[in-house]
Amino acid sequence: MSSRFNIRSCADGLFFFELQASNGRVLVTSRAFRRKQAVLEALRGFQCASNDSFIYLCSEQSSRGFSFYITNGLGKKVAFSEPYSNRWALKQGIEAAKSNAASARIIDLSDVSPL
């Protein structure tokens, strides 16, 4: 399986995307959007942008470990990572998100049962 962006819907009618690596691990999950078109715009921006256009910021969550979030050029949070056990794993997660996003296929799963 190659890396992919999965577009999903929630029971409340909102949409989000997740970047899934080729090994099946979810690297990042987006915030919720009201319109599917807004999700597509956010993920295409993330996918097509140079590494400098999106900013990867780290945060520490004492009980869950380390995570990062991604902001666009306007400073708006676009997506969040899964928790990592240490800083080295966090750095590897950021690099994996950058490398997987560029070539990820877009799969629309929003018509499947909402999460």
Side-chain angles (χ1 to χ4, degrees), residues 15-73:
F15 298 92
F16 66 97
F17 71 80
E18 56 190 14
L19 174 58
Q20 186 176 21
S22 58
N23 65 3
R25 180 172 183 159
V26 174
L27 300 170
V28 296
T29 303
S30 76
R31 66 181 183 82
F33 294 87
R34 287 192 174 98
R35 297 178 304 112
K36 190 189 300 187
Q37 185 61 35
V39 171
L40 286 167
E41 290 168 7
L43 81 81
R44 285 189 181 128
F46 176 39
Q47 184 177 38
C48 297
S50 68
N51 290 340
D52 295 333
S53 296
F54 278 77
I55 301 168
Y56 296 76
L57 300 169
C58 301
S59 65
E60 219 173 304
Q61 299 173 346
S62 59
S63 64
R64 295 188 62 201
F66 300 89
S67 62
F68 66 90
Y69 57 94
I70 302 162
T71 64
N72 61 18

Side-chain angles (χ1 to χ4, degrees), residues 93-106:
I94 291 171
E95 292 306 315
K98 289 179 180 180
S99 65
N100 280 275
S103 61
R105 295 178 303 135
I106 299 172

